[in-house]
Amino acid sequence: MNGECVGDTRLVRGEVVLVRHARSVPPSVNGPDGYHRPLTSEGVAQAEALADELTRLGPVLIVSSPYLRAVQTVEPTAVALGVPVHRDHALREWDSGLAFTPEYARHYAESWADPHHARPGGESLHELSVRATDVLTSLARQHPDGTVVVGSHGTFISRALVGFGRTTVDWPFSRAMPMPAIYRLRFTDDGVRVGGPGLL
């Protein structure tokens, strides 16, 4: 599979289930920062509803971005299974280098058009793809033949999919990704097989 930046996944087995967080409180100038933005009441209900589907997968590990909205999305699944939610800073959302702006979409579109461009203090989308594929491959390697559920974010997931070879994933795809959304990465001898909403 011709990924943009995927490393060697040979001899890696297992499945990683990426869960984009449920409906969250929108960002605002005076609102909570990215780490502390919670789910809305609708999002809490969505997270509860996800638990049935995710527990049926029999995950051996539940790990999340440290951002509150991602943790809250996988918490009901962890409670149902009687296991903790482990937090991993490498699963955080894109460090865009942007302060909140209502015109975020224009800035995101520019970054998707030039994935190697990084703003001062931020990371490029290419760097995000490297970070995402590295940490997800590592999780699969550490849990061979098991399923790992990962609570994360839209841009992180989109750039992971690019890194694992899905060249049709772009800014419109990322912008249209539902909240919540589930993508499954199956690590096999033939590479990484990807499934989820919006993928051809």
Side-chain angles (χ1 to χ4, degrees):
M1 188 172 289
N2 296 320
E4 177 183 296
C5 57
V6 65
D8 187 357
T9 60
R10 290 174 300 176
L11 303 181
V12 179
R13 305 284 176 81
E15 181 174 57
V16 175
V17 178
L18 298 173
V19 183
R20 188 195 184 182
H21 61 79
R23 184 71 58 185
S24 61
V25 171
S28 63
V29 174
N30 297 314
D33 64 21
Y35 273 88
H36 299 99
R37 265 197 302 122
L39 298 182
T40 63
S41 57
E42 176 190 5
V44 170
Q46 289 174 327
E48 294 284 351
L50 277 179
D52 283 344
E53 179 177 357
L54 295 175
T55 54
R56 284 197 297 270
L57 299 176
V60 298
L61 176 72
I62 298 178
V63 62
S64 177
S65 155
Y67 289 23
L68 179 59
R69 58 194 184 276
V71 174
Q72 288 180 321
T73 298
V74 295
E75 269 182 336
T77 302
V79 169
L81 293 170
V83 299
V85 177
H86 298 272
R87 293 163 174 79
D88 188 333
H89 188 64
L91 297 170
R92 69 193 182 279
E93 182 58 300
W94 176 37
D95 291 327
S96 67
L98 284 168
F100 169 74
T101 170
E103 296 184 1
Y104 80 95
R106 176 173 62 84
H107 295 288
Y108 274 48
E110 290 171 354
S111 291
W112 276 89
D114 181 8
H116 289 271
H117 173 72
R119 295 177 182 84
E123 66 182 340
S124 71
L125 286 177
H126 175 77
E127 289 170 331
L128 173 57
S129 285
V130 173
R131 167 161 64 88
T133 55
D134 281 352
V135 66
L136 297 174
T137 301
S138 177
L139 286 170
R141 181 175 285 116
Q142 291 168 29
H143 301 278
D145 302 312
T147 297
V148 177
V149 167
V150 172
S152 196
H153 306 271
T155 306
F156 178 97
I157 293 172
S158 296
R159 293 306 303 185
L161 297 178
V162 171
F164 287 121
R166 298 311 296 251
T167 57
T168 59
V169 173
D170 55 12
W171 164 234
F173 173 97
S174 184
R175 190 175 189 183
M177 186 184 294
M179 287 188 285
I182 296 175
Y183 293 86
R184 298 177 73 166
L185 306 177
R186 294 181 179 87
F187 290 78
T188 72
D189 290 338
D190 298 324
V192 183
R193 302 183 184 279
V194 181
L199 294 173
L200 299 176

